[in-house]
């Protein structure tokens, strides 16, 4: 069982940066692949970024590639999403998710979800 708690969301101007954190409980965090997803108002939840259990392999949605960076610190049971050059279209609730298998961009592959944190980018 893994419990996930996101933090770091807020209001930022376009072009600014935010870093989201996702703290996980459970002694087997290091064996889980982690992902970040987001849901904008009126839209379906979409994949943002994923990271392998070891942190050595990452995956990004085309819309955030080159602007966002996913990382993890297994000693702290935490995964991060550094978001740079933010745009108004990045406004959404951001969720972290965990799965006890390989990295995936599909939300149905993930077993555990956090409650989400709101990111709002003003123009």
């Amino acid at each position: 069982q893994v419990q996930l708690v996101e933090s770091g969301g807020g209001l930022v101007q376009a072009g600014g940066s935010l870093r989201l954190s996702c703290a996980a409980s459970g002694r087997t965090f290091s064996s889980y692949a982690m992902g970040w997803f987001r849901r904008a108002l009126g839209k379906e939840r979409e994949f943002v970024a994923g990271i392998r259990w070891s942190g050595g392999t990452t995956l990004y949605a085309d819309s955030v590639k080159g602007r966002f960076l996913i990382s993890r610190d297994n000693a702290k049971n935490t995964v991060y999403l550094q978001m740079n050059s933010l745009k108004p279209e990045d406004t959404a609730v951001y969720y972290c998710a965990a799965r006890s298998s390989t990295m995936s961009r599909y939300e149905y592959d993930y077993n555990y979800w956090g409650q989400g944190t709101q990111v709002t980018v003003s123009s």
Side-chain angles (χ1 to χ4, degrees), residues 4 6 22 33-37 95-99 110-114:
L4 305 172
E6 303 96 335
C22 175
M34 301 296 295
W36 284 98
F37 291 77
Y95 301 87
C96 72
R99 71 182 302 242
Y110 287 81
N111 310 102
Y112 305 101
W113 292 85

Side-chain angles (χ1 to χ4, degrees), residues 7-122:
S7 62
L11 174 64
V12 63
Q13 288 189 331
S17 298
L18 280 176
R19 188 175 82 155
L20 305 183
S21 299
C22 175
S25 64
R27 290 173 289 180
T28 59
F29 171 77
S30 60
S31 65
Y32 284 78
M34 301 296 295
W36 284 98
F37 291 77
R38 67 187 181 187
R39 178 182 283 145
L41 193 63
K43 296 186 177 181
E44 294 187 353
R45 188 156 56 185
E46 64 176 2
F47 172 78
V48 175
I51 188 166
R52 196 164 173 254
W53 67 271
S54 65
T57 303
T58 56
L59 186 65
Y60 296 94
D62 288 344
S63 59
V64 307
K65 200 172 294 183
R67 299 188 298 122
F68 290 11
L69 178 68
I70 187 171
S71 62
R72 67 189 296 164
D73 185 338
N74 287 340
K76 295 182 178 180
N77 280 12
T78 302
V79 63
Y80 304 97
L81 185 68
Q82 177 67 43
M83 305 185 296
N84 301 320
S85 302
L86 282 161
K87 304 175 181 180
E89 51 264 43
D90 294 318
T91 295
V93 177
Y94 283 72
Y95 301 87
C96 72
R99 71 182 302 242
S100 56
S101 186
T102 56
M103 186 173 55
S104 171
R105 64 171 61 243
Y106 303 108
E107 64 173 298
Y108 53 73
D109 282 335
Y110 287 81
N111 310 102
Y112 305 101
W113 292 85
Q115 82 290 348
T117 186
Q118 176 71 46
V119 171
T120 303
V121 184
S122 63

